[in-house]
Amino acid sequence: MTDYKLNRLEAGIEQLIEGAFAQIFGKSVQPHDLALALARAMEASAAPAANPLESPTAPNSFVIHLCPDEHARLMESAPDLENRFGNHLVHLAGDLGLRMPRRPQVHMIADLTLARGEVQVHAGHVTQKKTDTSLLEPVYSPAVPAAPSATLYLESGNDFALHMPFVTIGRALDNQLVLEDQHVSRHHAQIRLRFGRYTLFDLGSQSGTFVNESRVREVLLQSGDVIRLGKTRIVYMDDVEHEATAAFSPLDE
């Protein structure tokens, strides 16, 4: 892991913990220790890509081991901590150059073998099993494809659920998703539902629209794609099963 990536990873987790959770963690669990544990677990458990042109896949399951006292205190003080760590790990994967097609699941458990202040993180890849019901094929296909369940995860820690046929993104207050970034145009980009999939369009922005660091005018979004508008990064995730990498139209530099 490069020093730059590690420093950025640590800074992100320190901001998360020392901000909202400073009083919860106190001096028992240090942000630096947790940052290293998460980073090492994610990097060590990354699955190599079959295609050498693609990035390795980040693990989608993380288990944080804490001593029983700290586990009980954290779960009581911040019952949503596992969910917030899940959102944060989406961005950490991007910092490490890993692809994360599905939002990770994070679980904190009490471990009698650990002393106060000790933290262990175990990461792995969990395949979602299909139930018998999901294997049943419908007799008739719907005339209009159903919209996928999709979410935009912002670096600020907020998430934006896509539940409309189109969402305009920009600096102006009349956008559905407003970004406070001076490098973002007033009306920068739009995400539009087309044939049951979400497509991202650049609206003639000055600084451009980037997906996985390729400048694009139009792109069919795939779960795990990292969108960059100005200096703002947004991770797109949906519940669509992708058979291949989505095609897009990068701009020639």
Side-chain angles (χ1 to χ4, degrees):
M1 185 189 305
T2 65
D3 291 340
Y4 170 77
K5 289 181 179 178
L6 182 57
N7 291 339
R8 184 169 180 175
L9 177 72
E10 293 180 7
I13 293 185
E14 286 177 2
Q15 182 180 3
L16 174 70
I17 297 174
E18 292 179 347
F21 304 122
Q23 295 181 350
I24 299 172
F25 280 85
K27 297 181 179 180
S28 298
V29 178
Q30 297 300 316
H32 181 269
D33 297 332
L34 185 55
L36 288 177
L38 285 169
R40 288 169 178 165
M42 176 178 283
E43 189 175 43
S45 300
N51 185 340
L53 298 179
E54 296 181 353
S55 300
T57 302
N60 59 6
S61 175
F62 294 81
V63 180
I64 302 174
H65 294 249
L66 301 164
C67 79
D69 290 344
E70 289 181 339
H71 176 266
R73 178 166 54 88
L74 288 174
M75 296 304 293
E76 180 180 357
S77 303
D80 65 335
L81 185 57
E82 293 174 328
N83 181 64
R84 297 188 65 172
F85 270 129
N87 293 347
H88 196 67
L89 284 171
V90 171
H91 296 286
L92 297 185
D95 291 339
L96 292 174
L98 302 176
R99 187 170 185 82
M100 182 172 281
R102 291 289 177 268
R103 182 182 181 282
Q105 297 296 316
V106 179
H107 300 286
M108 297 193 302
I109 65 173
D111 191 331
L112 294 173
T113 66
L114 297 182
R116 188 174 183 82
E118 291 184 334
V119 174
Q120 291 183 2
V121 179
H122 300 285
H125 300 259
V126 176
T127 302
Q128 184 175 4
K129 296 181 179 180
K130 293 184 177 181
T131 63
D132 294 339
T133 303
S134 66
L135 296 176
L136 297 177
E137 295 292 337
V139 178
Y140 299 104
S141 298
V144 179
S149 175
T151 305
L152 302 177
Y153 293 92
L154 283 69
E155 285 184 297
S156 62
N158 298 325
D159 53 79
F160 184 92
L162 294 175
H163 52 77
M164 296 178 286
F166 69 89
V167 171
T168 303
I169 308 172
R171 194 161 36 88
L173 297 179
D174 59 349
N175 291 286
Q176 282 78 27
L177 178 54
V178 179
L179 300 179
E180 296 181 0
D181 183 341
Q182 292 302 314
H183 299 274
V184 171
S185 299
R186 291 179 56 79
H187 299 94
H188 196 111
Q190 183 181 88
I191 295 178
R192 193 181 309 163
L193 182 63
R194 299 176 65 189
F195 307 109
R197 295 286 300 279
Y198 284 108
T199 301
L200 174 68
F201 297 88
D202 180 78
L203 298 179
S205 63
Q206 291 186 352
S207 59
T209 297
F210 296 80
V211 173
N212 302 326
E213 292 308 317
S214 293
R215 187 167 183 172
V216 299
R217 292 193 182 93
E218 174 184 342
V219 58
L220 181 64
L221 291 172
Q222 180 170 310
S223 189
D225 282 342
V226 179
I227 304 167
R228 180 166 63 83
L229 309 178
K231 293 190 175 182
T232 301
R233 294 196 319 161
I234 304 171
V235 179
Y236 169 86
M237 285 196 171
D238 63 28
D239 59 0
V240 177
E241 292 293 337
H242 299 282
E243 297 180 356
T245 302
F248 64 91
S249 54
L251 302 182
D252 294 329
E253 297 294 342

